[in-house]
Amino acid sequence: MTLAAATRLAVATNEHLASISNTLIYSSMAVYTLAFFAYIAEWLFGSRSKVARTAAALTADGARKTAGPAVTVKQAGGTAVLERPQVVVRSASGARDVPDGPGAHGGDVQGDLYGRIAISLTALAFLVELAGVVARAASVERAPWGNMYEFNITFSTVAVAVYLTLLALRKNVRWLGLFLITTVLLDLGLAVTVLYTASDQLVPALHSYWLYIHVSTAIFCGAVFYVGAVATILYLFKDAYESKLQSGGKPGTFATSVLERLPASASLDKFAYRVNAAVFPLWTFTIIAGAIWAGDAWGRYWNWDPKETWSFITWVAYACYLHARATAGWKGRKAAYLALIAFGCWLFNYYGVNIFVTGKHSYAGV
């Protein structure tokens, strides 16, 4: 085989792999859509359940207890009556002592079934999308992180992987499913329409093993920061809901149906803090790795390029958030606002800087 023929074969193979990648990404979007409707069904059927409804007991009048109806269990030769355990939903001192909600299924068996179907579809879609990312990497013969399209499809894959890993570790995060899949679909829709870039080789500055180190950690950090941001937003809603109940107010039916099934605000706050704190050292390493790579590629470790500047701003914002959590006067909602500002800085660092600002990192277009 001549060199020209071998080159043509390689080009044709890469184009075929790129086509397979696109097909797999679209297929994953289809499965994610089915998972989205299954999550919707979980929330809808869960809203019918009366098993876990404790909102009526959440008042500011001190301790309240709710007990469900007795359960009659048939046994050989007779019956046994089991009383449901009482659930303390407000401490006697007036401070919050609210248990976590039952989850999106709300204690409804059919809702729980749809939730399990949704998780199965999410896992299937993740595998299909992962195959699409791998096919994209094979088509360009490099890590699939050379432009915003490739970053987006990899980012959403890692975000779902974080969610599935937390589920595998038996963490109480099933409530995250609907919110995660909604944003994943938006992310992929943006990737295949606005950000799509045909397979191509990297510019010389990116031909380095630091691509695998720096960009992979940046993607993982972004995925974990995203999970923390969703938990923070839900914390703000749940905290406002609990505060209204504590002051004697009556939230709307829709708010009650949704928010009472989420974990308590204290649980959401703790979860958001833990994931942000856990990934912050890795974000620090990401910035350091980027500086070392810049020194190898451009002969200067730090040049206050827009991407470098906003990476540092993001680091400072998360550092302020973590410091605020360690300061008694800045816990709760104030710290949550700082966390959302920090994640907003991360989003602007990716979308805003890449699209609207010109710098040394503007080599890959979109």
Side-chain angles (χ1 to χ4, degrees), residues 24-71:
L24 288 170
I25 295 300
Y26 278 105
S27 299
S28 70
M29 292 177 66
V31 183
Y32 277 131
T33 302
L34 294 177
F36 171 79
F37 285 115
Y39 282 118
I40 289 291
E42 179 186 20
W43 280 92
L44 289 177
F45 281 97
S47 68
R48 305 182 312 170
S49 175
K50 303 297 182 182
V51 175
R53 294 293 177 89
T54 60
L58 298 178
T59 67
D61 298 328
R64 290 292 186 86
K65 295 184 178 181
T66 58
V71 180

Side-chain angles (χ1 to χ4, degrees), residues 236-327:
L236 291 173
F237 280 104
K238 188 63 182 277
D239 181 69
Y241 170 76
E242 292 177 1
S243 297
K244 189 170 186 178
L245 289 171
Q246 188 177 28
S247 63
K250 184 177 180 181
T253 303
F254 177 78
T256 299
S257 175
V258 173
L259 295 175
E260 71 175 4
R261 286 180 276 165
L262 293 176
S265 61
S267 298
L268 291 169
D269 186 39
K270 184 184 298 183
F271 174 78
Y273 170 68
R274 285 179 174 176
V275 296
N276 286 327
V279 81
F280 180 74
L282 188 60
W283 180 249
T284 304
F285 170 78
T286 301
I287 296 176
I288 295 173
I292 296 174
W293 186 11
D296 290 343
W298 300 319
R300 189 169 181 176
Y301 292 106
W302 196 268
N303 197 35
W304 292 107
D305 179 77
K307 178 70 70 173
E308 297 170 351
T309 302
W310 276 96
S311 295
F312 178 68
I313 291 173
T314 302
W315 184 90
V316 171
Y318 273 107
C320 290
Y321 162 71
L322 295 177
H323 177 71
R325 284 299 305 251
T327 305

Side-chain angles (χ1 to χ4, degrees), residues 308-364:
E308 297 170 351
T309 302
W310 276 96
S311 295
F312 178 68
I313 291 173
T314 302
W315 184 90
V316 171
Y318 273 107
C320 290
Y321 162 71
L322 295 177
H323 177 71
R325 284 299 305 251
T327 305
W330 277 82
K331 290 183 179 179
R333 297 184 70 87
K334 292 181 180 179
Y337 292 138
L338 283 178
L340 293 182
I341 291 173
F343 184 68
C345 291
W346 187 91
L347 286 178
F348 182 79
N349 184 35
Y350 177 55
Y351 288 104
V353 172
N354 283 7
I355 296 175
F356 303 112
V357 182
T358 301
K360 285 190 174 183
H361 288 78
S362 304
Y363 35 66

